[in-house]
Amino acid sequence: MVDDTWSSALHRLWQAASRAEEVAALADDVYAPLLATPGVHHVVGTRWDEKHVLRYMRALSAGSDTPVIVATTRSMPGAAVREPGGAPVVTRSAVDGMDGSVWPEADFLRQAPGASVVACTFRLDQRGWAALALAVDGTADLSVVENRLTQAVDVIVACHTGILQRGREARRASDDALLAEASLQMDSSLDVEDTLRRVARIAVPAVADGALVHLLRSEGPEFVAATHVAVQQQRALEEAGRHDPWLAALLARRGEDEDTVFLSGAALEGSPFAESVSADGGANAAAADARPAGDGPHPTVVSISTLRARGRVVGSITFVYQRPEARLPDSAFLRSLATRAALAIDNALLYELRRTAVLSLQEHLLPSQLPESVQWDLSASYAVGDPMLDVGGDFYDAVPRPDGSIALLIGDVCGRGAEAAALTGLARHTLRTLLEEGNDPGTALSRLNRALRQERASRFLTAVVATLTPRPDGTALLSTCSAGHPPPLVLRSDGTVSEVRSGGLLLGVLDDVSYDSHEELIAPDDTLVLFTDGLTESREAGGAFFESVLPARLSALRGSGAAHIAESLAQQAETFRDSGQDDIALLVARWTGVQPGTDLLPHDLQLEQAALR
């Protein structure tokens, strides 16, 4: 005959188990049906940890709606004889013969004199086990009692397993979200110092209470960043990261070991983590202030993970924990976090190396300094526009000539990278040599074009060459020749701006090309501005180009020196543009109007003087 009452109760128990967030929530659904079993007088449940410490006990008697609940940390080594191995274990024993050092439930169960006890012990997980004991009288059908007890235990175990599984899934989802956020945060900067600070901060306090980051240098680990939930402990962590010999020796021994190592207890003796690090040497003071109420002190645990990226070790990350063991991250999570951190750090380091190399190469493609003379005020500006930092093709130069004139040149090679850089060097040095020898701008450009065609250059370039020749009346003859380059501008002393007429085919396209020069006079305090198309083609969000506002912006700079004009225009264009990543080069020459021969050095002495500055 089917027991409909028990079947219904068991069905409700399974439903409650599927919704429960903790096993204790099942107590009412477990205890009441068991007490309703004929002959059962008391039900007592106990919860134990792996060290046979009683953590929890709940007792309920038939006819009572109020359970007795005891939360404790009572150590009972004698209970080891009851600890189950694998499957649940059901036992029968007399109440009067129960040993209190083994059965803390005995005091409750003895309230039914002469009764016997049916108990089931079962393992919940690797960290603990539990027991459910029933006091029954002689009228009870022990086989029915045992059957119901084991069925209830099956539900409890399944509920606990489900809670653990859901907890693992929730933690995995949380870990995945944290890892995704960590990658986003760490990858959002290519600045080395900023990336290192982000690596240290990203896991505190979500993963650990403190973090230290070291880079691996040829001379050993180098401290670079630290953070902690408590400010005082952060200062102590920084001090330990920089100067503690125990930590330095440990990190050096770790070498290229890829496994995350956890250290606690005796393994931390002699370390700065033997007690919670604090600025005044006190243990756990700042950490206790940072913990939620009711969360007491916990032993310090330290983990160290190697930061490896692209087959090489870039450093290590050390986490400091002052939290329950159950809240410590697992090794797989720390390996994943370390891998992401290592890649972010390595990307930043590689970017910094590339940036240094590119800027150094770019500097070598441009003159180290411009010649000086009382007759002209010269200055230049160069702004790198490519965020990937490939070498650009913009170049400029100023060349004093044997006849006392000066030649100004500016150009732009199509594209970026090593090939563009090689062509840039060829073009600038070829033009410089030709102009130093006294060739006029048109001849210099024609001969450069011929050289490019002979070299079978795969890229074209634009350039403009202008010479300023002093005249006895204090003016200067401006002779300009262009090869497909944006026309220079002249800022007159009264603030008017005019465009220098120029034209001509791109360099490196056809074999035989000649270039015509345009001549005009410039007066004292007039300024010639040469630039590449990175300036004029800077585009704002609305679609307008900087070219449309350039004359007005230049006019507003009248009376300024060449250096101020060059830097101001470059900065204004960078601020103006919402799109466009081309480099910006400017070469500015203000004519002073000084009479020829006044303090004017011969050409060879000008070069010597420039080299000594």
Side-chain angles (χ1 to χ4, degrees), residues 48 84 182 274 344 372 376 447 547:
W48 305 79
E372 296 184 13
W376 53 73
R447 292 182 61 178
E547 180 179 23

Side-chain angles (χ1 to χ4, degrees), residues 61-81:
S61 300
S64 174
D65 294 328
T66 305
V68 176
I69 299 174
V70 179
T72 180
T73 56
R74 179 182 171 187
S75 178
M76 299 186 66
V81 298

Side-chain angles (χ1 to χ4, degrees), residues 31 41 84-85 135 156 197 250 254 420 425 446-448 458 462 471 551 578:
Y31 283 41
H41 294 274
I156 294 172
R197 286 193 295 268
L250 177 63
R254 290 280 298 157
S446 294
R447 292 182 61 178
L448 173 59
S458 61
T462 67
R471 289 165 50 92
D578 180 70

Side-chain angles (χ1 to χ4, degrees), residues 104-128:
E105 311 99 314
D107 290 341
F108 292 101
L109 298 172
R110 289 192 187 107
Q111 294 177 18
S116 61
V117 174
V118 179
C120 181
T121 55
F122 52 96
R123 183 160 294 283
L124 292 172
D125 50 50
Q126 295 301 316
R127 296 193 299 271

Side-chain angles (χ1 to χ4, degrees), residues 3-18 26 29-30 33-34 147-156:
D3 188 339
D4 293 335
T5 302
W6 172 252
S7 297
S8 298
L10 189 62
H11 178 69
R12 289 193 300 272
L13 181 58
W14 276 109
Q15 287 182 319
S18 66
L26 295 180
D29 293 291
V30 171
L34 289 175
N147 184 56
R148 293 185 178 185
L149 181 59
T150 54
Q151 287 179 338
V153 166
D154 287 342
V155 178
I156 294 172

Side-chain angles (χ1 to χ4, degrees), residues 430-503:
T430 299
L431 285 176
R432 181 180 182 88
T433 300
L434 292 171
L435 293 168
E436 281 180 338
E437 293 174 352
N439 289 282
D440 63 82
T443 301
L445 288 175
S446 294
R447 292 182 61 178
L448 173 59
N449 181 73
R450 191 180 309 131
L452 294 174
R453 296 297 294 170
Q454 289 174 349
E455 291 291 331
R456 296 183 179 180
S458 61
R459 298 170 184 256
F460 62 84
L461 63 97
T462 67
V464 63
V465 178
T467 58
L468 290 170
T469 305
R471 289 165 50 92
D473 61 358
T475 63
L477 177 63
L478 171 62
S479 180
T480 308
C481 194
S482 176
H485 198 81
L489 297 178
V490 176
L491 171 62
R492 303 294 179 178
S493 59
D494 62 359
T496 59
V497 175
S498 61
E499 187 177 277
V500 177
R501 286 196 299 120
S502 60

Side-chain angles (χ1 to χ4, degrees), residues 377-391:
D377 174 18
L378 285 178
S379 187
S381 177
Y382 196 104
V384 176
D386 180 23
M388 294 306 294
L389 285 178
D390 265 332
V391 182

